[in-house]
Amino acid sequence: MTATTSLEYIGHSGLAVRHAGKLLLCDPWMSRRGTYNASWFQYPQYEGDLAALAAPDAVYISHEHPDHYDPEFIAGIDRSVPILTGRAHKKRLVSRLRRLGFQTIVELDNFEAFELAPGFTIKISTPTFHCPPHWFDSCALLELAGHKILNLNDCNLALPVADIRAEGIDVLLAQATPAIWYPLVYTTYDDERKKVLAGQRRESAISSFVSSAKAIQPRLAIPFAGPPCFFDPELAGYFFGPDSMFPTPPVAAERLAKETEIPGMILKPGDRLIIGERGAADEFRLEACTAYAGFDYERDRASYYDTHRARNEEIVRDVLAAIPPAGPGLFERFRRHFLPFLKGHPYFVEHIGIRVLFRVSGDHGGDWVVDFRREPKPELVYALDGEPCQYEFDMTSQLLDQIMRDELSWEDAFLSLRFRAHRDPDRYNQHLFTLFKMSDSRALNAIQKVETADRAHDTFVLEHAGRSYEVQRWCPHGGSDLSEADVEDGQVVCPGHHWRFSLSDGVCTNAAGRIHVRELDETGELGGSDHQKKPTPRAAGAKA
């Protein structure tokens, strides 16, 4: 391998991978106009030569979110260039690429390979290991003449970790900051409670990065994929301060160094990781970009914001002003949007099981209910009638109309942070947000098939408060390893997203879900159980 093999960080989740004379772009979000209606901007912005990136030999797009799939940049690429992505049940990304006219769209899963050149291969997988396929991110394993780089980007580690570790990963790149709207937009909480919950989200993202590194044991770990910067004055407060929910890569790298002996590296946009001969003194060499010499992600938040504020606030104003007002008939479009899901997916209706209120302000808006109860009103979607609703969403008619036109997905709108939500009781409804995320019958059917399958669960033995329990190992939400969980107040707290499962019955106390839990008697057997016990080695990571 020569020094021409390099990974250039092009900002956020973006990489320009060069080897054997070929260029592979990964998740190139390069638009200077931000995304999610100009609520998100790169932090910091790539200052390199965009023209040098415009003629790749292939492009890998991990998933449909526009901070990974940048339609503005992708539209400038020759339509003969292969576009690679994960094979997912939802085809929104693929349909958009086809609409742009790309001739070769390659969907891969289970680490199927695409070769760019001898010794230069990308293998792609869509993580669904130990959990339903409601996650549509993908990850990429790059093989560069004997070196293996795992680009985990935004993925949960719902992957066969032992198999990946056995690959001998040289470099791991993984997300170390949240990409979520909870709890920031929720009026359910006062400022103090919101601060606590945001702190949990921050900690979850940092610990997830470190946990991924511990599990995979790479020779080098690099935190990336955010955070976003917010130049809309109404959102800017989310970016600043030590309590910001969005930590920067040095914070994750510091935690990695504290808890492991795995080397870490911080990349700034334009930096290149030069990959040399295996075992050489300069095997991994950082070639720093002069544009950000001396820049510090944490220290320079305010100065970076001030430098770019005037220009980007103007962009925010222009983008928002260009969104057309909602036209007449918005309620009917809204109703037609939900009726196929209400009528065609009884499994999801049953598991959502509540009334959801949309308070839509602006032209042609109103207060509208989507009725997911087992015995709904015949209309299914109707004007608010005074009965309580368990979930509420408050948004403008412009934003809702963008969703109805499929200009934005529900998740795009939510990630814009330009809405408010409330729930009573304060309990996450997994199936409601899965419906929002997918909005696709084929994908919903696939999820239902997995969730209703009669399957045995891997388990581990957990000892807590003088008692022993056989516990399902993998969280049903995102596939996180519950053997690495803490136990608080008699509840197993998932290290991934802090779902809390009661040891008494396995029911999740803060979301809709449950896990297998059985208490063992003194002999280690399941007293009176008809459960077919599998070998369950005690997990050293389980803490009480």
Side-chain angles (χ1 to χ4, degrees):
M1 184 180 290
T2 70
T4 57
T5 297
S6 67
L7 273 68
E8 181 185 8
Y9 181 46
I10 57 176
H12 204 65
S13 299
L15 297 171
V17 184
R18 295 177 173 89
H19 177 67
K22 299 291 185 178
L23 170 61
L24 169 68
L25 295 183
C26 302
D27 286 344
W29 173 34
M30 315 310 298
S31 173
R32 298 297 194 240
R33 295 177 62 78
T35 194
Y36 303 115
N37 283 348
S39 59
W40 288 38
F41 288 79
Q42 279 190 353
Y43 177 67
Q45 176 180 285
Y46 179 73
E47 298 292 353
D49 182 5
L50 290 180
L53 304 178
D57 297 283
V59 180
Y60 163 62
I61 301 173
S62 62
H63 62 292
E64 69 174 44
H65 287 163
D67 57 313
H68 299 261
Y69 163 58
D70 177 358
E72 179 181 316
F73 180 79
I74 294 296
I77 292 176
D78 188 277
R79 299 306 190 266
S80 65
V81 171
I83 307 294
L84 317 174
T85 190
R87 184 183 301 117
H89 294 287
K90 187 180 181 184
K91 301 298 183 183
R92 188 171 187 266
L93 170 61
V94 171
S95 68
R96 274 155 175 68
L97 291 168
R98 286 175 178 157
R99 196 177 303 167
L100 284 174
F102 282 95
Q103 300 164 21
T104 305
I105 302 168
V106 183
E107 299 175 78
L108 301 173
D109 196 8
N110 300 317
F111 291 108
E112 294 174 282
F114 182 93
E115 186 179 71
L116 280 82
F120 189 178
T121 300
I122 176 173
K123 298 179 179 179
I124 299 173
S125 188
T126 302
T128 56
F129 199 59
H130 306 307
C131 68
H134 53 71
W135 303 101
F136 52 53
D137 291 350
S138 64
C139 62
L141 177 60
L142 307 176
E143 297 186 358
L144 307 175
H147 279 83
K148 296 183 179 181
I149 294 95
L150 180 61
N151 176 9
L152 197 59
N153 56 70
D154 289 5
C155 285
N156 286 347
L157 197 59
L159 295 160
V161 175
D163 293 347
I164 294 173
R165 188 167 54 243
E167 289 274 356
I169 300 300
D170 295 295
V171 181
L172 168 69
L173 299 106
Q175 181 186 33
T177 193
I180 193 66
W181 50 90
Y182 173 89
L184 301 178
V185 302
Y186 275 79
T187 61
T188 312
Y189 316 113
D190 60 24
D191 289 343
E192 281 305 307
R193 180 59 179 160
K194 194 175 289 185
K195 182 177 178 180
V196 169
L197 295 171
Q200 291 177 357
R201 284 290 180 181
R202 174 187 173 94
E203 172 60 27
S204 177
I206 297 168
S207 62
S208 178
F209 168 77
V210 175
S211 296
S212 295
K214 287 179 178 178
I216 293 170
Q217 289 292 306
R219 297 171 61 220
L220 177 65
I222 300 174
F224 82 145
C229 186
F230 305 101
F231 285 101
D232 185 329
E234 294 186 7
L235 306 176
Y238 297 145
F239 180 67
F240 292 109
D243 297 324
S244 170
M245 194 173 83
F246 304 99
T248 58
V251 176
E254 182 179 354
R255 179 74 61 82
L256 179 76
K258 182 178 179 180
E259 296 188 9
T260 78
E261 295 183 357
I262 300 169
M265 181 180 285
I266 303 301
L267 297 180
K268 303 165 191 175
D271 284 357
R272 292 175 186 251
L273 174 62
I274 308 298
I275 302 176
E277 294 293 334
R278 181 177 294 278
D282 62 348
E283 181 179 1
F284 300 121
R285 178 169 59 87
L286 178 63
E287 187 178 275
C289 170
T290 57
Y292 290 108
F295 174 83
D296 183 276
Y297 277 95
E298 284 294 312
R299 182 195 67 212
D300 295 331
R301 282 189 192 235
S303 60
Y304 179 86
Y305 187 87
D306 289 341
T307 299
H308 296 271
R309 178 176 179 175
R311 174 184 176 275
N312 287 326
E313 282 189 354
E314 182 178 357
I315 289 173
V316 171
R317 289 192 296 269
D318 290 347
V319 169
L320 296 179
I323 301 171
L330 178 60
F331 173 72
E332 284 304 317
R333 293 193 293 279
F334 174 81
R335 186 169 183 271
R336 287 197 302 269
H337 175 82
F338 277 104
L339 283 179
F341 303 118
L342 289 162
K343 293 180 178 180
H345 294 279
Y347 173 81
F348 277 86
V349 171
E350 177 182 359
H351 282 75
I352 295 171
I354 59 174
R355 286 166 30 113
V356 181
L357 173 62
F358 291 81
R359 296 191 182 276
V360 183
S361 59
D363 294 344
H364 308 290
D367 294 340
W368 306 327
V369 174
V370 182
D371 198 336
F372 290 100
R373 295 176 300 181
R374 288 189 178 185
E375 297 182 0
K377 287 192 169 185
E379 303 95 314
L380 300 179
V381 182
Y382 47 85
L384 180 64
D385 54 6
E387 291 185 40
C389 295
Q390 289 70 46
Y391 253 94
E392 296 184 12
F393 297 94
D394 187 335
M395 62 181 61
T396 66
S397 59
Q398 282 179 299
L399 185 61
L400 181 62
D401 202 31
Q402 284 184 288
I403 300 168
M404 297 301 99
R405 298 195 306 269
D406 199 25
E407 183 178 320
L408 297 178
S409 70
W410 282 104
E411 280 215 328
D412 293 348
F414 292 156
L415 286 166
S416 78
L417 302 176
R418 293 198 179 95
F419 76 107
R420 291 294 175 264
H422 185 85
R423 63 192 189 199
D424 185 12
D426 182 18
R427 193 162 181 260
Y428 177 66
N429 192 305
Q430 165 71 34
H431 289 87
L432 175 62
F433 280 94
T434 297
L435 186 145
F436 282 136
K437 175 185 290 188
M438 295 302 180
S439 297
D440 178 280
S441 287
R442 175 168 47 186
L444 294 176
N445 287 336
I447 293 167
Q448 177 183 340
K449 183 178 180 180
V450 172
E451 290 190 353
T452 56
D454 184 13
R455 51 180 179 157
H457 292 289
D458 292 336
T459 59
F460 68 100
V461 175
L462 169 67
E463 293 189 358
H464 174 67
R467 297 181 175 183
S468 297
Y469 301 86
E470 183 184 77
V471 180
Q472 177 177 327
R473 182 169 181 181
W474 308 105
C475 178
H477 175 226
S480 294
D481 189 347
L482 296 179
S483 73
E484 297 293 332
D486 289 311
V487 179
E488 299 175 1
D489 301 324
Q491 299 174 69
V492 178
V493 183
C494 176
H497 298 90
H498 296 281
W499 282 33
R500 305 173 70 93
F501 300 96
S502 171
L503 281 173
S504 63
D505 57 12
V507 171
C508 185
T509 60
N510 62 342
R514 71 184 303 154
I515 59 172
H516 164 87
V517 175
R518 292 286 184 91
E519 185 173 356
L520 302 171
D521 64 21
E522 294 180 357
T523 67
E525 296 298 325
L526 299 173
S529 170
D530 58 0
H531 177 77
Q532 188 171 353
K533 192 168 183 285
K534 300 172 66 177
T536 54
R538 181 172 174 177
K543 300 179 280 292

